[in-house]
Amino acid sequence: MSDLELPNNALQDFSAWAQAKQARIELILDHHLPSADLAPHNLHSAMRYSVLCGGKRVRALLCYAASELCETDFKIADAAASAVELIHAYSLVHDDMPCMDDDDLRRGKPSCHKQYDDATALLVGDALQSLAFELLSQTSLCAEASQQISMLSILAKASGSAGMAGGQAIDLAAVGKPLTQTELETMHQLKTGALIQAAAMLGAISGSQEQIIAMQTYAMNIGLAFQVVDDILDVEADSSTLGKTAGKDANSNKPTYVSILGLDQAKNHAKQLYENAIMALSPFGNKAQRLRELADFITRRSF
Ligand code: GRG
């Protein structure tokens, strides 16, 4: 990555820090995604369309903030942040397909299968997932092979049937069925929370045992808070602000935090999860400031 001029983070203010990191991850993703000039042109063009089309890069920011607290090497943080964003982009492409959530709008633009076609969207997801693991398995990424294997294992578990894909399966099976809050929590812990948790754990890969345990609690709570806020926004925000179809969950008869708890209780629940996340960071004082600010960003976001 030495040939890339990457913006860095010698900035104090959170929004300047976040913008620098967002710019950094865009450049890295752009660098790693195959050029659309390379065959198969259509697939490569669709991969680039699906990854480089906006997105808040929350998972990359979490990974970077955790890496700063735990003093993880920046090269490892770059690879981990990119890998997680690639898995996330793949999940959105597949989620939007007619056989899943069937949505035409993503990040304010036509979903991948609308812009291209279903077969291309399927392949885009497959190829992005492979690219994520390719980035994490680069030779000499980590000084110790065992650390690199741990990273591969964290990402594989978070993406697979005991993580994101499993949560998606539970989600698809839950349409039109009543779920308890605990069942809903389990589903989201897998579907959305597992990858968010993986982003933080990968960033924290060089951390002490104490830091890693605290990071796990922080990330679990902030991952769920992210989903509760998503459910609230689905009700309160409009499609142009969200960049995806608003009101989709209610219209699809999907159980959500709002449908189970009501709007006010859902907001209280998000606040409680936020407070749990902040509490988990208390041993680290100012060193965890970015993670606190990110928790704020995630729970106060408007899209
Ligand atoms: C297809 C295996 C497979 C899994 C799909 C994550 C997921 C599982 C589906 C996405 C459905 C969805 C909209 C869930 C709500 C939470 C969520 C992941 C929102 C999108 O994430 P953001 O807001 O998106 O971070 P950006 O565009 O900012 O990257």
Side-chain angles (χ1 to χ4, degrees), residues 241-282:
T241 309
L242 289 179
K244 62 181 181 179
T245 313
K248 188 81 201 295
D249 294 336
N251 295 340
S252 322
N253 205 12
K254 273 192 174 182
T256 69
Y257 283 98
V258 176
S259 71
I260 290 180
L261 297 176
L263 195 53
D264 287 346
Q265 277 309 314
K267 286 181 181 177
N268 284 339
H269 190 47
K271 188 162 173 278
Q272 184 59 56
L273 291 165
Y274 164 82
E275 283 165 8
N276 296 347
I278 297 296
M279 190 106 75
L281 300 174
S282 55

Side-chain angles (χ1 to χ4, degrees), residues 55-56 59 88 90 94-95 107 168 226-227 230 244:
K56 297 176 289 297
R59 293 153 192 81
H88 171 57
Y90 124 65
H94 279 189
D95 185 62
R107 292 172 167 169
Q168 179 78 345
F226 182 95
Q227 183 63 53
D230 210 75
K244 62 181 181 179

Side-chain angles (χ1 to χ4, degrees), residues 31-59:
H31 176 77
H32 286 301
L33 283 160
S35 161
D37 293 338
L38 283 178
H41 307 286
N42 192 55
L43 176 59
H44 290 156
S45 158
M47 287 166 73
R48 299 182 69 83
Y49 177 85
S50 304
V51 177
L52 305 172
C53 61
K56 297 176 289 297
R57 308 299 186 205
V58 164
R59 293 153 192 81

Side-chain angles (χ1 to χ4, degrees), residues 32-34 36 40-53 83 85-97 106-107 110-134 164:
H32 286 301
L33 283 160
H41 307 286
N42 192 55
L43 176 59
H44 290 156
S45 158
M47 287 166 73
R48 299 182 69 83
Y49 177 85
S50 304
V51 177
L52 305 172
C53 61
E85 284 292 335
L86 290 172
I87 297 280
H88 171 57
Y90 124 65
S91 80
L92 298 180
V93 169
H94 279 189
D95 185 62
D96 288 336
M97 291 182 70
R106 173 66 60 186
R107 292 172 167 169
S111 311
C112 181
H113 71 278
K114 293 305 279 185
Q115 183 72 13
Y116 293 86
D117 53 52
D118 287 5
T120 305
L122 195 62
L123 291 171
V124 163
D126 296 342
L128 292 179
Q129 175 156 220
S130 298
L131 183 57
F133 286 100
E134 192 185 327
M164 186 179 74

Side-chain angles (χ1 to χ4, degrees), residues 1-296:
M1 212 142 307
S2 51
D3 53 332
L4 274 178
E5 282 214 8
L6 298 172
N8 223 318
N9 67 310
L11 298 154
Q12 290 308 303
D13 166 67
F14 174 73
S15 80
W17 174 86
Q19 277 173 32
K21 292 299 182 198
Q22 283 159 337
R24 184 179 178 92
I25 197 72
E26 292 309 314
L27 281 176
I28 296 171
L29 289 167
D30 180 56
H31 176 77
H32 286 301
L33 283 160
S35 161
D37 293 338
L38 283 178
H41 307 286
N42 192 55
L43 176 59
H44 290 156
S45 158
M47 287 166 73
R48 299 182 69 83
Y49 177 85
S50 304
V51 177
L52 305 172
C53 61
K56 297 176 289 297
R57 308 299 186 205
V58 164
R59 293 153 192 81
L61 293 177
L62 266 172
C63 184
Y64 282 127
S67 76
E68 288 176 9
L69 173 68
C70 299
E71 294 174 17
T72 299
D73 184 276
F74 72 90
K75 196 169 56 134
I76 297 178
D78 283 339
S82 323
V84 169
E85 284 292 335
L86 290 172
I87 297 280
H88 171 57
Y90 124 65
S91 80
L92 298 180
V93 169
H94 279 189
D95 185 62
D96 288 336
M97 291 182 70
C99 58
M100 298 232 185
D101 222 24
D102 193 9
D103 212 318
D104 294 352
L105 189 65
R106 173 66 60 186
R107 292 172 167 169
K109 293 203 299 194
S111 311
C112 181
H113 71 278
K114 293 305 279 185
Q115 183 72 13
Y116 293 86
D117 53 52
D118 287 5
T120 305
L122 195 62
L123 291 171
V124 163
D126 296 342
L128 292 179
Q129 175 156 220
S130 298
L131 183 57
F133 286 100
E134 192 185 327
L135 293 191
L136 276 195
S137 56
Q138 291 166 81
T139 317
S140 72
L141 178 66
C142 302
E144 286 177 36
S146 61
Q147 186 180 59
Q148 200 162 347
I149 290 170
S150 296
M151 293 177 74
L152 287 160
S153 168
I154 289 170
L155 192 62
K157 282 187 188 142
S159 318
S161 62
M164 186 179 74
Q168 179 78 345
I170 299 172
D171 187 359
L172 292 171
V175 175
K177 297 206 180 108
L179 288 188
T180 63
Q181 187 182 339
T182 309
E183 288 168 332
L184 187 74
E185 209 113 290
T186 303
M187 174 181 90
H188 288 312
Q189 183 51 41
L190 298 177
K191 190 180 103 167
T192 320
L195 193 61
I196 289 181
Q197 212 167 318
M201 300 315 287
L202 290 172
I205 197 76
S206 303
S208 66
Q209 198 60 20
E210 188 201 11
Q211 286 172 325
I212 289 173
I213 290 168
M215 196 64 68
Q216 230 158 4
T217 308
Y218 165 84
M220 199 183 78
N221 281 286
I222 217 57
L224 278 178
F226 182 95
Q227 183 63 53
V228 181
V229 170
D230 210 75
D231 286 356
I232 294 168
L233 289 173
D234 189 62
V235 174
E236 290 197 324
D238 55 44
S239 300
S240 67
T241 309
L242 289 179
K244 62 181 181 179
T245 313
K248 188 81 201 295
D249 294 336
N251 295 340
S252 322
N253 205 12
K254 273 192 174 182
T256 69
Y257 283 98
V258 176
S259 71
I260 290 180
L261 297 176
L263 195 53
D264 287 346
Q265 277 309 314
K267 286 181 181 177
N268 284 339
H269 190 47
K271 188 162 173 278
Q272 184 59 56
L273 291 165
Y274 164 82
E275 283 165 8
N276 296 347
I278 297 296
M279 190 106 75
L281 300 174
S282 55
F284 309 118
N286 278 346
K287 274 192 93 182
Q289 191 52 24
R290 289 293 181 231
L291 289 162
R292 286 191 195 92
E293 290 166 334
L294 258 177
D296 261 25

